[in-house]
Amino acid sequence: MRSKKIITTVAALTLIASLTACGNDAGSGAEAGADYPSEDMDWTIAFGAGGGNDIMARTMVDIINQYEMYPENISLENREGGSGATGWGYLFSKAGSGYDVSTTSGSFITTPLQSDTGWTFEDFTPIGLFATDDAVFVVPEGSEYETWEDWVSYAQEQETVVVGGIGTVNVDLILHELIAEASGYEIDYVPFNEEGQLQTSLLSGALDAIVSNTGSVLGQIEADEMTPLLFTGAERLDVLPDVPTGEEKGIEDLPAMPRGMILPPDAPAEAKEWWITTMKEVVETPEWKEYVASNYLTENIKWDQEFFDSLRETTDSFEATLEEAGAL
Amino acid sequence: MDVFNNLAGGIVSILTLQNILLLGAGVTLGMIVGVMPGLGPSAGLAILLPLTFGLDPTGAIVMMAAVYYGSMYGGTITSVLINTPGESATVASTFDGYPLAKQGRAGPALIMAAIASFIAGTIGAVLISFFAPSVASVARTFGPPELFLIVVVGLLTLIVIVGKNRLLGVISALIGFALATVGIDVGIGAQRYTFGSTELINGIDFIPVAIGLFGVGEILHAMWRGGHLEKLDYQKISLRGKGFWPTRADFKESNGAMLRGSFLGFFTGTAPGAGATVASLMSYNVEKSISKTPERFGKGAMAGLAGPEAANNGASAGAMVPLLTLGIPGSSSTAVLLAAFLMWGLQPGPLLMEQNPEFAWGLIASMYLGNVMLLLINIFMIPTFANVARVPFRVLAPVIILICALGTYTIHGSILEVWIMLACGVLGFFMRRYGFSPAALVIALVLGPLAEETLRQTMIISGGSFGIFFERATSMWLLAVMVALIAVPLLSPWIRRIVNVRVRDVGRRRREQQRAEERKDVNS
């Protein structure tokens, strides 16, 4: 009864507003009523073209357009800069709007940890988590260790082993710290800015081991240039059936990068519901399954508040590990 | 000859009407993107990447290669005409390219740059075909210590750039190094000088700084000189005009520079990191050191443009080696190409060439054809571009400042960077006015973060010991090259003097002997 009244009031107000505005297209999503969606969608990609986040967002929009799920236009904008701070900062400024949306990746957690962005993930409106990015732990081919156990006993004999990954306040450092702690060896972590330099450094013999995305190192593994020893996901990968997971080796709760979707803070309930319903359909399409498989992502679906609950857990463990490592 | 068959096969498989049209379109589009200050090859590739989704992988790669070369050449056009490098690899092209344009020789300068790029591209394609596997085995020995040494070799250019005004030059470079420290420190992830701004997290990009210092700074300086009042007397530039083609003297001066630049560029380009930038600066350095007329460098020496142009093109061919043979991107442009490979369903890695030979050779062939197309299209387009130099300065100046602002905004859509660009314009004016070196500042800003990052990585790996540079074979070689690069210009006057003294001594002794014999003759 009450909600019906609100809708009638909102509808009446919208009518009045549109009459008085008269040709002034305010376009504010806060007015989104029961007829959601009725405006163009502004889709923020917080990273540059060609990156992982960009490809995921474009795949989603392709699927939505192909199945004609969204009745109006969706415009994709790359708002890159500040490791995602610019794009998500833009979305943050659109509080109350139902016509702005963005996709998340690892920086959604780590960027607010390392700099004063003015927002954390909890400020936004959750839609859902769809998949996670896990990592492979690789050593150069021809090292004397061929199994995880060999590596651990080698590493324990050394004073420290030199390992590498991308960035400092990033999941790579956290993975190395957690793995080394659980296995009882000491590391020196070398941060890199680019995947290419990270991989050549391993091949040149400057590093003992690195962690990297499956897609980036699979070619090296197939060519017998690098040996995979551990996979950080919950289950073994189809393409690397012989590589054990962290859990099998007694290393629990390894974090993964969340690939999900968010709306601005205080987005209207209709918008949130509409997107949850729609994304439930998107993740069932063969095109989405194909994307997850060809990018070696792990399907991991959580809707609404459950998505943010898992982010909370990840953030807490990140903060604790990074503080211990002296990176924060 | 297997390699020739492969390369020829690659070229033939590409020569369809559709692909030739794609090549032409790609080169032209790339050039248009590249002419915007700030948008270089990597931005060009990223912007035009979605266009290739509808194409088959070969058609797509043909177009991407064309865009790559087109946008690279576009950067050269702005470096020469309005003193504004579109990306770090064409900074060295402003040193002599812009003075040439100021002398009314924009046409010959642009043609020479296109020829240098073409020659380097040709040499690069041949070198890839023959040496890719062996070069790759060297490239894979490059860890942080080797990269650090390569960057240091690039920094040696500062000595040449700074020239006579040592104190002001060193201050300029130090300002560059200081600006380079802004952003997240790669070592421990701490923020430096960001003052809480999220836009500064990734540091100060060199592009707005270079656009401001070179482009806007030059305009302000010209206005201060009263350039807007001058009546310009540029010659008309047309394909048949005498002033359009480089003269025989230009070629004679540049031949050696182009060859040296091509090889230098190719081999430097195979090292992941700052390949093309370091290569072009090294080439400038080498050409000035061995030139008989080093005083003409910076005032419009053709060799000072041809060498770096050949080197940056050679480097982009060289960067394909680790991409194709190791599956490792060596530059931001090849990283975009790598992402494109994945999108077309190709698995980059050491097996790419074995598993998809027709694709890999198609890429090499289309790079080569891209160069040919670039040369052809350019010879027809250069008169149009070069005529920019005939537009009266009072009209051109505001237009350039507007383009600079627009170009800067397009890169990241950041207003802050536009302000940085304008502030650097004012800074550039005063630097020029009082004899500082904007070029040294930009070089320090580009190479500073790389030097810091690789040195810190090296120190973590070695546990703080500098001995690591003497323990690895490749770094020993690089150290030897560096010693040679420093020693040759320093020692050459000394060696010359020794030789001169010897020759003089020999002559004197001979004369004395003669005299003695003459005396003997008289006495007897």
Side-chain angles (χ1 to χ4, degrees):
Chain A
M1 277 304 283
R2 219 177 137 211
S3 66
K4 205 172 175 187
K5 213 171 183 179
I6 290 175
I7 292 170
T8 337
T9 322
V10 168
L13 283 175
T14 321
L15 192 67
I16 294 166
S18 55
L19 282 175
T20 47
C22 198
N24 175 12
D25 185 7
S28 162
E31 291 165 20
D35 53 349
Y36 186 91
S38 60
E39 286 175 32
D40 287 355
M41 198 80 198
D42 182 346
W43 191 307
T44 297
I45 302 169
F47 295 87
N53 198 310
D54 181 64
I55 295 173
M56 174 172 77
R58 287 177 197 277
T59 311
M60 285 179 177
V61 174
D62 279 349
I63 295 172
I64 292 171
N65 288 338
Q66 193 185 330
Y67 290 87
E68 294 175 2
M69 293 169 172
Y70 195 79
E72 308 291 325
N73 285 323
I74 301 178
S75 68
L76 283 155
E77 291 287 338
N78 291 90
R79 297 188 171 98
E80 62 200 275
S83 303
T86 308
W88 293 315
Y90 175 83
L91 196 72
F92 181 67
S93 73
K94 292 283 171 180
S97 160
Y99 292 101
D100 288 271
V101 67
S102 184
T103 35
T104 69
S105 51
S107 309
F108 189 52
I109 300 178
T110 52
T111 302
L113 281 183
Q114 72 177 337
S115 68
D116 186 15
T117 48
W119 51 262
T120 69
F121 72 90
E122 278 165 316
D123 290 316
F124 293 90
T125 307
I127 298 298
L129 174 74
F130 316 122
T132 51
D133 256 9
D134 298 298
V136 191
F137 187 102
V138 289
V139 295
E141 177 68 23
S143 2
E144 61 255 53
Y145 23 88
E146 285 193 347
T147 64
W148 179 249
E149 284 72 21
D150 289 351
W151 158 257
V152 171
S153 59
Y154 164 81
Q156 283 170 342
E157 282 164 27
Q158 311 297 312
E159 210 169 295
T160 57
V161 284
V162 183
V163 295
I166 300 290
T168 311
V169 180
N170 198 5
V171 70
D172 288 4
L173 168 60
I174 293 159
L175 284 173
H176 274 305
E177 288 283 347
L178 292 176
I179 292 172
E181 201 184 327
S183 314
Y185 61 84
E186 296 287 319
I187 56 165
D188 278 326
Y189 175 82
V190 186
F192 286 80
N193 275 330
E194 282 170 31
E195 186 68 32
Q197 291 181 20
L198 174 67
Q199 290 188 21
T200 12
S201 293
L202 182 73
L203 293 175
S204 80
L207 303 174
D208 292 315
I210 63 171
V211 288
S212 184
N213 284 328
T214 316
S216 339
V217 286
L218 197 63
Q220 308 290 345
I221 294 170
E222 283 173 356
D224 286 335
E225 294 282 350
M226 297 179 186
T227 313
L229 297 182
L230 196 73
F231 178 64
T232 65
E235 281 165 39
R236 291 191 182 203
L237 273 177
D238 292 342
V239 280
L240 298 171
D242 301 329
V243 180
T245 66
E247 253 179 64
E248 290 174 34
K249 297 294 169 191
I251 311 163
E252 311 253 327
D253 293 329
L254 287 175
M257 297 282 83
R259 300 230 173 240
M261 183 189 250
I262 48 166
L263 294 182
D266 309 316
E270 305 85 22
K272 181 173 161 181
E273 266 163 46
W274 192 91
W275 278 102
I276 292 179
T277 318
T278 307
M279 289 316 292
K280 279 183 178 164
E281 290 170 34
V282 168
V283 295
E284 290 306 319
T285 59
E287 288 81 4
W288 177 258
K289 303 264 182 213
E290 160 66 25
Y291 163 78
V292 169
S294 65
N295 285 276
Y296 310 105
L297 303 178
T298 309
E299 187 150 81
N300 186 352
I301 298 178
K302 292 195 165 80
W303 299 107
D304 202 352
Q305 203 49 48
E306 232 185 284
F307 169 33
F308 275 14
D309 289 343
S310 76
L311 286 187
R312 174 84 266 158
E313 265 173 46
T314 316
T315 309
D316 288 345
S317 88
F318 273 25
E319 236 170 333
T321 319
L322 288 171
E323 257 163 38
E324 222 169 275
L328 278 184
Chain B
M1 292 298 289
D2 230 22
V3 208
F4 272 124
N5 284 344
N6 284 334
L7 187 58
I11 292 178
V12 169
S13 72
I14 279 173
L15 285 176
T16 63
L17 184 64
Q18 185 210 347
N19 285 344
I20 291 175
L21 289 176
L22 285 175
L23 262 181
V27 166
T28 315
L29 277 175
M31 216 144 61
I32 293 168
V33 171
V35 163
M36 284 299 284
L39 299 184
S42 53
L45 286 175
I47 292 169
L48 299 174
L49 185 62
L51 280 183
T52 65
F53 286 166
L55 303 167
D56 60 303
T58 314
I61 203 73
V62 165
M63 182 146 180
M64 294 303 269
V67 168
Y68 186 33
Y69 281 103
S71 49
M72 209 145 117
Y73 190 73
T76 306
I77 295 174
T78 52
S79 294
V80 170
L81 290 182
I82 60 174
N83 201 25
T84 304
E87 45 132 10
S88 56
T90 53
V91 168
S93 309
T94 61
F95 300 163
D96 278 291
Y98 184 64
L100 278 167
K102 271 210 293 206
Q103 292 159 17
R105 305 203 64 218
L110 288 175
I111 298 252
M112 200 50 118
I115 293 174
S117 304
F118 170 73
I119 288 181
T122 311
I123 293 177
V126 174
L127 287 178
I128 292 186
S129 311
F130 279 99
F131 296 117
S134 45
V135 168
S137 63
V138 177
R140 56 174 291 173
T141 63
F142 274 74
E146 288 75 22
L147 286 178
F148 174 69
L149 292 177
I150 286 269
V151 173
V152 171
V153 171
L155 284 171
L156 288 179
T157 319
L158 285 174
I159 302 174
V160 173
I161 297 294
V162 163
K164 269 178 249 141
N165 240 330
R166 286 216 184 110
L167 178 66
L168 296 183
V170 168
I171 293 175
S172 313
L174 287 178
I175 296 174
F177 284 126
L179 289 178
T181 58
V182 174
I184 287 179
D185 142 33
V186 69
I188 54 168
Q191 287 192 52
R192 299 189 296 203
Y193 309 113
T194 56
F195 304 104
S197 158
T198 48
E199 291 197 74
L200 288 176
I201 291 182
N202 288 350
I204 293 181
D205 193 17
F206 98 95
I207 291 177
V209 175
I211 293 178
L213 284 181
F214 291 121
V216 177
E218 175 64 29
I219 301 272
L220 295 178
H221 191 251
M223 288 210 290
W224 179 79
R225 274 193 294 113
H228 55 297
L229 302 174
E230 278 168 25
K231 252 192 128 208
L232 299 181
D233 190 25
Y234 284 114
Q235 61 227 64
K236 186 161 167 52
I237 299 160
S238 78
L239 273 179
R240 288 193 205 108
K242 222 176 162 190
F244 177 66
W245 297 96
T247 62
R248 194 169 293 176
D250 290 335
F251 277 109
K252 208 176 153 202
E253 190 185 337
S254 312
N255 281 342
M258 286 195 267
L259 283 179
R260 283 185 292 273
S262 305
F263 283 95
L264 186 74
F266 181 82
F267 290 107
T268 314
T270 56
T277 310
V278 176
S280 59
L281 292 170
M282 270 163 83
S283 161
Y284 190 81
N285 199 348
V286 166
E287 293 312 320
K288 191 174 175 182
S289 327
I290 64 171
S291 169
K292 284 184 200 117
T293 52
E295 68 281 355
R296 286 189 48 232
F297 275 69
K299 296 188 187 111
M302 202 52 104
L305 173 66
E309 271 301 308
N312 78 34
N313 230 303
S316 51
M320 293 290 165
V321 171
L323 180 71
L324 289 176
T325 55
L326 301 174
I328 289 172
S331 63
S332 51
S333 315
T334 42
V336 178
L337 277 182
L338 191 78
F341 285 6
L342 285 168
M343 262 184 243
W344 300 322
L346 295 161
Q347 173 65 55
L351 298 181
L352 180 76
M353 260 180 130
E354 260 172 58
Q355 289 171 348
N356 305 285
E358 68 301 332
F359 174 80
W361 287 105
L363 174 61
I364 295 171
S366 50
M367 283 169 51
Y368 184 66
L369 290 177
N371 261 312
V372 176
M373 186 61 87
L374 189 68
L375 190 66
L376 290 178
I377 289 193
N378 264 301
I379 288 180
F380 292 103
M381 303 257 282
I382 284 173
T384 321
F385 283 125
N387 278 334
V388 167
R390 293 177 62 224
V391 177
F393 185 75
R394 60 178 184 281
V395 178
L396 195 59
V399 174
I400 293 180
I401 293 187
L402 192 68
I403 292 178
C404 286
L406 269 177
T408 310
Y409 183 74
T410 334
I411 316 167
H412 298 126
S414 154
I415 285 290
L416 183 71
E417 291 197 335
V418 177
W419 287 116
I420 291 178
M421 189 277 292
L422 291 173
C424 286
V426 177
L427 179 68
F429 167 73
F430 284 106
M431 287 183 83
R432 190 160 313 215
R433 172 85 182 79
Y434 295 107
F436 288 86
S437 167
L441 192 162
V442 170
I443 292 172
L445 177 60
V446 173
L447 297 182
L450 279 168
E452 189 203 349
E453 184 189 329
T454 48
L455 181 62
R456 292 182 71 159
Q457 288 165 347
T458 308
M459 290 300 105
I460 299 177
I461 291 168
S462 72
S465 150
F466 282 90
I468 189 170
F469 293 112
F470 301 99
E471 284 161 14
R472 296 163 59 96
T474 315
S475 28
M476 288 293 282
W477 276 108
L478 287 169
L479 279 174
V481 169
M482 208 191 298
V483 169
L485 274 178
I486 300 173
V488 169
L490 281 181
L491 292 183
S492 64
W494 187 65
I495 294 172
R496 212 171 293 158
R497 209 177 315 138
I498 292 182
V499 172
N500 283 345
V501 168
R502 282 272 163 79
V503 170
R504 207 172 53 212
D505 287 351
V506 170
R508 193 183 290 158
R509 227 172 288 140
R510 208 173 278 162
R511 275 195 301 277
E512 276 169 10
Q513 231 169 1
Q514 236 170 0
R515 239 172 274 151
E517 274 166 25
E518 277 165 22
R519 239 174 282 149
K520 235 189 262 167
D521 286 346
V522 171
N523 287 347
S524 61

